[in-house]
Amino acid sequence: MMTGLIMPTMANAQSANASSSNTPVQLPAVTVSGQGETALTPVTGYVANQQATGTKTDTPLIETPQSISVIPSDQIRDQNAQTLNQVVRYTAGVTAETRGAVATRYDQLKIRGFDAVTYLNGLKLQSLYYAAPQIDPFLLERVEVLKGPSSVLYGQSPAGGLINQVSKRPTATAQNEVGIEYGTNNHVRGTADFSGPIDAEGKFLYRFSAVGLSEDGQMKMTENERIAIAPSFTWRPDANTSLTLLGFYQHDPKGNSYGGIPPQGTVLYNPLGKIPVDFYDGDPNFETFDRRQTSLGYAFDKRLSDVWSVRLNGRWLHAKVAYDSVYANGLARDNRTLFRGVATSREAMNSYTFDNQLEGRFSTGPVQHTLLAGFDYQRLDGHYAAGFGAAPSLDVFAPTYGMAITRPATNRTDVDGNQAGVYLQDQLRLGGFVLTLAGRRDWAETTSTTARGSTRQYDQAFTGRAGLTYVFENGIAPYVSYAEAFVPQTGTDFSGKPFEPEKGTQYEVGVKYQPAGLNSLFTAALFDLTRSNLKTADPIHPGFSVQTGEVRSRGIELEARVGVTKQLDLIGAYTYLDVEYTKDNTGLQGKQPPAVPRHQASGWAMYRMAEGMSLEGLSVGGGLRFTGSTLNTANTFKVPSVTLVDAAVSYDLGALSDKLKGAEVSLNAKNLLDKEYVASCYYGDWCAYGYERTVTAGLRYRW
């Protein structure tokens, strides 16, 4: 989400002469969509009307010619989502938690069958090897999921889509909150959020959010620990100017594990029995995951006139990781001896991300324009010293830990990367038609240096997007769009020619519907998405690659968000995916990528008792999540489908007594029926168990 977006302004209806007279002047009527909501306004309930991720302008969702899902803070809180994977569990087109309960330290998920990339406040969260940033959801105001190629506005970006996390920001009115919760696996979590004006005029605003976490991981002898703070400050010297500073610090001293389990004894039959759901393939005496993240960002907004506005956004982020891991590497023929590998790395990086925009809202005859011109720049410099080796094997049915493990030798790599891009977008409105046209040119360069020397990769690409929407007066808005993506690839072919960037192209048709008088948004999308220029084996020169690989994703997404009444919110989603390798020289052609289900469906309902009812103050929620069967990499076996149940109950203690006003107790259960399942076999012989039942009970006080 780009920061500080300014709603369309009404041109002056008064001339200079009229302003100086006492003659009443009748202003033209103005229709504001979303009941005054903007792309940065906190959403009440589950239904957002505005977005900025898909256009970088404050645009109604119904006018955006691409599929976008917005998960507001009310939903995040009601479902007690504590990872990004949990936040997007009920979102169409997204396959969450493909690594199950293992990889909580990373936000690994898929959009439309392909790996997603994460952003914070519209700026990419750059990563280096194991130093991948992660933001605690408590620090977020909302999450926006943009599905499909997005390079025209964001530069190098995967074809599947991106997830933009939007930080909590200072508020004009005071709001304060503290909370504590306990749960299964020795879960303890504390939260605090303070916000409001500093001065009487409201020119200076502040916010301070914090979260602390300690819990055992699902795998025995593993732990999660976190402390995170996010201070922010806003200065508004006048109605047309705003500067917000956004700070962030997060320390994760421990991060569960990052291993896997073999399919034999989990998905496949093992004559010796079933591998326990809490089996740990690592070693507690060797496991290390210590990540520190620090960032400072700014968002400057200035309305220059009734037509033109400028936005300047930037962020510096530093990440440092110490990483040691022992991981599963295949099961021996005796069906019990687990081969294992060892990995180690010490790394640090600094990333700098800037996005500067000029926006104009004007008319040329009957056509209204929202013109956006931008220049963005990303830089990453850092290093990692990684090494890999073999670790002692482990008996999966009688594991012995604490064995001597030799840390492998490491080799240092220094990375220096730059990307610059210029883009231009115009949203043209004529009657009910909204035509969106955009183009961009990118230049990307990366230099990697080791003891053996340096390698340089240089790429440039042009990407575009075109979309047409027609908004009927009854709230129905069909659309059609085309979008492109590119991702640079390292290496050279047999002749020494550097590989060209991977390309992504998508054709999408859909319809969005917002019926009058009902706080709701219904969406349906049909898409055809292709990734090309993929590296695959060179059939003539063994050991080398050529860029003839291709994979295609076709599908349907249906999503409904309905605020039936002030008391009842509903979410429903369904996804059908047909993903297939269409060109490949390694035997994958015609096969389906691993961990991608053909069918997904989910539904969630939250009901709050109305005032005056006998159970006033009580809120009850529940949901179902269905994930269809998936395949392993070789497509030789299936991972069974699974249906999971979630539940939530909360009670406002203020309904009992005015002295308890602001206090609320809550109870959340995820996988309520404690279904044991394998989330996926995501690569080779590596599979992952899904989450067992987790229950948390909390107390929150707001004033």
Side-chain angles (χ1 to χ4, degrees):
M1 171 83 62
M2 302 317 300
T3 53
L5 298 158
I6 300 173
M7 290 291 289
T9 57
M10 181 176 61
N12 279 334
Q14 296 175 328
S15 65
N17 292 335
S19 298
S20 61
S21 70
N22 295 323
T23 304
V25 177
Q26 183 176 358
L27 298 179
V30 177
T31 301
V32 181
S33 63
Q35 295 76 47
E37 176 191 329
T38 73
L40 290 178
T41 303
V43 177
T44 300
Y46 290 6
V47 184
N49 296 290
Q50 303 289 118
Q51 63 77 42
T53 301
T55 56
K56 287 189 177 179
T57 61
D58 202 345
T59 302
L61 278 162
I62 199 170
E63 294 183 6
T64 307
Q66 200 162 337
S67 185
I68 301 175
S69 295
V70 178
I71 300 97
S73 58
D74 281 358
Q75 180 185 337
I76 297 173
R77 182 185 64 249
D78 288 347
Q79 296 175 347
N80 198 24
Q82 299 191 12
T83 67
L84 183 59
N85 272 275
Q86 293 179 9
V87 170
V88 297
R89 277 173 167 173
Y90 288 85
T91 305
V94 179
T95 306
E97 296 171 337
T98 58
R99 300 294 183 92
V102 178
T104 55
R105 63 180 65 164
Y106 297 119
D107 297 325
Q108 294 170 306
L109 44 84
K110 296 179 182 293
I111 301 176
R112 293 185 170 175
F114 303 134
D115 292 339
V117 66
T118 56
Y119 281 65
L120 178 64
N121 300 321
L123 302 175
K124 187 177 182 179
L125 288 171
Q126 300 186 76
S127 61
L128 176 69
Y129 220 68
Y130 292 115
Q134 187 182 56
I135 312 299
D136 193 284
F138 182 77
L139 308 178
L140 303 178
E141 183 60 50
R142 70 161 109 185
V143 171
E144 298 193 357
V145 182
L146 173 60
K147 304 160 194 178
S150 53
S151 288
V152 72
L153 293 179
Y154 295 96
Q156 58 186 53
S157 184
L162 64 85
I163 298 179
N164 185 29
Q165 304 164 90
V166 182
S167 298
K168 291 179 176 177
R169 293 169 182 259
T171 57
T173 57
Q175 57 182 50
N176 306 287
E177 173 188 322
V178 292
I180 186 70
E181 70 178 30
Y182 300 90
T184 51
N185 295 324
N186 295 316
H187 172 90
V188 181
R189 183 173 182 249
T191 56
D193 188 16
F194 310 106
S195 182
I198 297 175
D199 63 319
E201 296 181 354
K203 291 185 176 182
F204 300 97
L205 313 174
Y206 83 99
R207 191 158 192 168
F208 181 86
S209 304
V211 59
L213 169 69
S214 176
E215 65 183 3
D216 294 336
Q218 181 167 302
M219 281 57 67
K220 57 186 177 183
M221 295 180 291
T222 64
E223 297 176 273
N224 290 325
E225 292 180 352
R226 167 171 294 172
I227 182 170
I229 59 173
S232 55
F233 170 81
T234 295
W235 175 48
R236 302 187 303 188
D238 55 59
N240 298 320
T241 310
S242 173
L243 172 65
T244 298
L245 302 178
L246 299 158
F248 169 69
Y249 173 80
Q250 184 169 303
H251 181 204
D252 302 323
K254 297 180 181 180
N256 202 341
S257 68
Y258 191 63
I261 50 177
Q264 301 88 353
T266 55
V267 177
L268 302 178
Y269 172 73
N270 187 324
L272 301 181
K274 191 175 183 66
I275 298 176
V277 71
D278 63 350
F279 172 73
Y280 175 42
D281 64 334
D283 194 288
N285 294 339
F286 187 80
E287 185 85 44
T288 301
F289 182 78
D290 191 317
R291 175 177 58 195
R292 297 175 187 268
Q293 305 167 103
T294 307
S295 76
L296 180 62
Y298 65 85
F300 176 74
D301 308 334
K302 178 67 176 180
R303 187 169 63 182
L304 304 175
S305 67
D306 289 340
V307 174
W308 297 102
S309 303
V310 65
R311 297 188 289 272
L312 310 177
N313 307 280
R315 182 178 62 240
W316 161 78
L317 185 146
H318 174 76
K320 187 176 182 180
V321 170
Y323 182 95
D324 297 307
S325 179
V326 175
Y327 56 90
N329 203 18
L331 197 65
R333 292 184 178 181
D334 64 1
N335 287 312
R336 68 182 310 142
T337 301
L338 184 69
F339 299 119
R340 297 191 297 172
V342 59
T344 184
S345 185
R346 297 294 183 270
E347 50 199 270
M349 73 162 195
N350 289 288
S351 69
Y352 309 86
T353 312
F354 305 95
D355 191 9
N356 305 310
Q357 305 163 17
L358 177 67
E359 179 182 314
R361 293 181 182 256
F362 55 88
S363 298
T364 55
V367 180
Q368 297 176 329
H369 298 262
T370 300
L371 184 67
L372 179 73
F375 168 76
D376 60 27
Y377 174 75
Q378 300 176 28
R379 174 175 172 79
L380 183 148
D381 65 76
H383 66 269
Y384 59 90
F388 299 89
S393 59
L394 190 70
D395 188 333
V396 296
F397 296 108
T400 300
Y401 299 100
M403 290 181 282
I405 298 172
T406 302
R407 181 175 282 106
T410 60
N411 297 297
R412 174 166 169 149
T413 300
D414 291 88
V415 178
D416 187 349
N418 297 273
Q419 177 194 308
V422 292
Y423 55 90
L424 184 67
Q425 175 184 269
D426 195 4
Q427 296 168 266
L428 303 91
R429 295 173 175 84
L430 176 62
F433 287 100
V434 182
L435 176 64
T436 302
L437 300 172
R440 176 188 178 101
R441 169 63 70 176
D442 273 288
W443 300 267
E445 180 180 4
T446 301
T447 302
S448 299
T449 304
T450 66
R452 298 180 179 180
S454 297
T455 59
R456 175 179 174 269
Q457 184 80 25
Y458 175 79
D459 295 286
Q460 57 178 319
F462 177 83
T463 51
R465 181 176 72 168
L468 179 64
T469 304
Y470 187 81
V471 183
F472 289 93
E473 292 184 359
N474 60 4
I476 296 176
Y479 69 90
V480 59
S481 68
Y482 169 80
E484 297 177 331
F486 88 101
V487 178
Q489 300 189 83
T490 59
T492 60
D493 61 15
F494 177 77
S495 65
K497 178 184 176 182
F499 289 123
E500 297 180 358
E502 174 191 318
K503 294 182 179 179
T505 57
Q506 176 180 270
Y507 299 89
E508 179 175 330
V509 295
V511 62
K512 302 179 182 183
Y513 179 42
Q514 280 190 310
L518 181 64
N519 183 27
S520 61
L521 178 63
F522 301 88
T523 62
L526 176 67
F527 60 88
D528 188 321
L529 172 60
T530 302
R531 294 171 57 198
S532 57
N533 276 2
L534 302 183
K535 291 188 287 185
T536 184
D538 187 333
I540 301 176
H541 306 101
F544 290 87
S545 297
V546 292
Q547 287 189 274
T548 58
E550 184 180 277
V551 60
R552 184 201 66 216
S553 175
R554 294 174 175 171
I556 299 171
E557 294 168 355
L558 307 175
E559 187 169 288
R561 291 178 167 270
V562 186
V564 181
T565 65
K566 291 183 179 180
Q567 287 72 46
L568 178 61
D569 285 303
L570 300 175
I571 303 173
Y574 170 75
T575 306
Y576 170 78
L577 284 175
D578 179 12
V579 188
E580 179 183 325
Y581 290 101
T582 50
K583 297 179 183 179
D584 185 81
N585 297 332
T586 63
L588 293 177
Q589 186 168 329
K591 294 181 178 179
Q592 178 180 327
V596 178
R598 282 190 180 272
H599 301 277
Q600 291 177 257
S602 61
W604 172 269
M606 192 73 186
Y607 183 74
R608 304 165 185 85
M609 299 295 178
E611 293 184 11
M613 298 182 65
S614 59
L615 295 177
E616 177 186 344
L618 178 67
S619 298
V620 180
L624 291 173
R625 293 178 280 130
F626 170 78
T627 301
S629 62
T630 59
L631 297 171
N632 66 324
T633 304
N635 285 198
T636 54
F637 63 83
K638 285 186 177 182
V639 178
S641 62
V642 63
T643 300
L644 304 174
V645 179
D646 302 322
V649 179
S650 64
Y651 188 74
D652 184 353
L653 298 178
L656 298 177
S657 170
D658 288 341
K659 295 181 179 180
L660 298 175
K661 185 178 180 180
E664 182 182 68
V665 292
S666 62
L667 183 69
N668 286 82
K670 305 180 180 85
N671 188 6
L672 176 65
L673 303 182
D674 201 20
K675 176 73 173 180
E676 184 177 303
Y677 68 102
V678 173
S680 76
C681 291
Y682 49 88
Y683 180 78
D685 287 333
W686 292 331
C687 306
Y689 274 120
Y691 281 100
E692 296 179 291
R693 177 173 54 218
T694 58
V695 180
T696 56
L699 172 64
R700 182 178 61 178
Y701 179 65
R702 292 180 291 179
W703 70 98

